[in-house]
Structure formats: C-alpha cells, structure tokens
Amino acid sequence: MTSDPRAERTRAKLRRALFDECARRPLAEVGVASLVRTAGVGRATFYLHYNDLEALAVDACADVVRDAVDALHAWRGRPDPASAPDALLSFFAGLRPHTSLYRALLSPGGGGPLGLVLHRDLRARSLSERQLVGAPEAPLVASAVAATFAGVLADWLHGLVEASPEEIAHKVWRLLVALHASGSRIGT
C-alpha cells in the first residue's frame, strides 16, 4: 500500500468504521454499503484501497499482530519463565473490545486470515532473534513458537481454553519459554 498521507487517512477512516460497525454486529453481517456510509467515503474509494471486507478487517487488526509480536519479545536477557512480561499481560487484557472481530479472522487452532499474518510475522521475528544470538534449531523453534502462540490465542478467543487474560498470558509465556529452551536439546 502507498504511503500517501491522504490514502492513509482514508484507510484509517475505513478501519475506524469497521470497528464501529463490528461493535454493533458480527463481521459477517457488515456490508460495504453501511461501512462506507459510516466512514463517509464512496464505495469506489473502498475498492481502491481494499479488495473486500476481509482485507480491510485484516488490515484493521494488523495492530493486534504487531502488538502480539512485540509483547512476546518485550524482554532482554534471560526471561523469567514463571512470569509473563508486562507487555504480554497488557496485550491479552487489551483484546476484549474487539474479541468478536478477532474471532471472525482467527479460527480455532490459529488459522484464518489473521492467524496467517500472526504466524508469519511472529515466526520471522522469532527466527531473526534466535539467529542473532546463535540459538540452535532456529527455524524449527521459530515455527513452533509461532504456531503455539497463534493456536493458543485463537483457542482462548473462541473459548476453547478457559482462563482470564492474566492467566492465559502466564500460561502461554511458560509454554513459549519451554519451547525456546527445548531448542537446545533437540539438536543433540
């Protein structure tokens, strides 16, 4: 997408309108006509920026992906395996306002359009950081971390894993720390 400030303002209007619409009804019930009316833009303008509502929804939720990736990497040195970083606790606590939209884009097990973006971005960040420090089995562990986090997040959002936001943050953190630690034992 272009970095034209006018185009970015239009996309921001469309993203806000989507969140407003999804606060009133599920994504599956939102139409382009009502969305562009809420955003105050024309239908042709919508299609200039997005192929369909799902593309807009994934773009609108991209911040949650960036926040998740940043939250999982918000520590330096040796992580405390028992206690999730504050950024991860904040990430899970902040999901509530748009839970139904995230559920529509992130299917159980971590699939769906948002799950694919989350997996790709988290794997890339994990791989980069593991390679930077020379950690063993970097590609394998990066894939496992991305799949585990996306899967647990999706299952929690869908109610398949029962826990408060704080509890799930600590539980998923312990899983991910164990995966990172196991990478050094796999290659031997």
Side-chain angles (χ1 to χ4, degrees):
M1 288 190 193
T2 180
S3 62
D4 175 3
R6 291 170 298 170
E8 185 48 45
R9 280 192 301 272
T10 300
R11 286 191 298 273
K13 280 183 180 180
L14 290 165
R15 290 188 297 262
R16 277 191 306 273
L18 179 73
F19 284 129
D20 290 348
E21 290 290 319
C22 287
R24 293 190 287 274
R25 62 181 165 270
L27 177 62
E29 295 176 15
V30 174
V32 172
S34 65
L35 180 81
V36 296
R37 205 171 23 257
T38 300
V41 301
R43 192 176 187 90
T45 299
F46 172 84
Y47 287 109
L48 180 65
H49 295 280
Y50 299 103
N51 291 333
D52 54 27
L53 280 173
E54 184 178 278
L56 167 60
V58 170
D59 182 44
C61 294
D63 284 343
V64 78
V65 170
R66 283 187 290 277
D67 291 348
V69 171
D70 289 345
L72 287 172
H73 294 89
W75 54 274
R76 290 289 170 247
R78 190 170 182 86
D80 176 358
S83 184
D86 289 341
L88 189 59
L89 292 164
S90 296
F91 167 76
F92 277 100
L95 292 174
R96 292 285 187 222
H98 305 296
T99 299
S100 65
L101 179 57
Y102 302 143
R103 267 190 236 132
L105 299 170
L106 188 61
S107 58
L114 191 59
L116 295 173
V117 173
L118 178 59
H119 187 278
R120 179 196 67 213
D121 291 359
L122 184 52
R123 185 185 187 284
R125 178 84 170 266
S126 182
L127 179 62
S128 172
E129 291 199 4
R130 287 188 66 78
Q131 288 174 331
L132 184 66
V133 298
E137 301 293 339
L140 178 67
V141 174
S143 291
V145 164
T148 298
F149 184 78
V152 171
L153 172 62
D155 288 356
W156 178 71
L157 286 169
H158 283 277
L160 301 173
V161 175
E162 292 189 26
S164 70
E166 183 177 352
E167 291 168 338
I168 197 66
H170 288 300
K171 289 177 180 187
V172 78
W173 178 250
R174 287 190 291 273
L175 277 172
L176 298 177
V177 168
L179 281 172
H180 276 283
S182 70
S184 60
R185 293 187 303 269
I186 292 172
T188 58

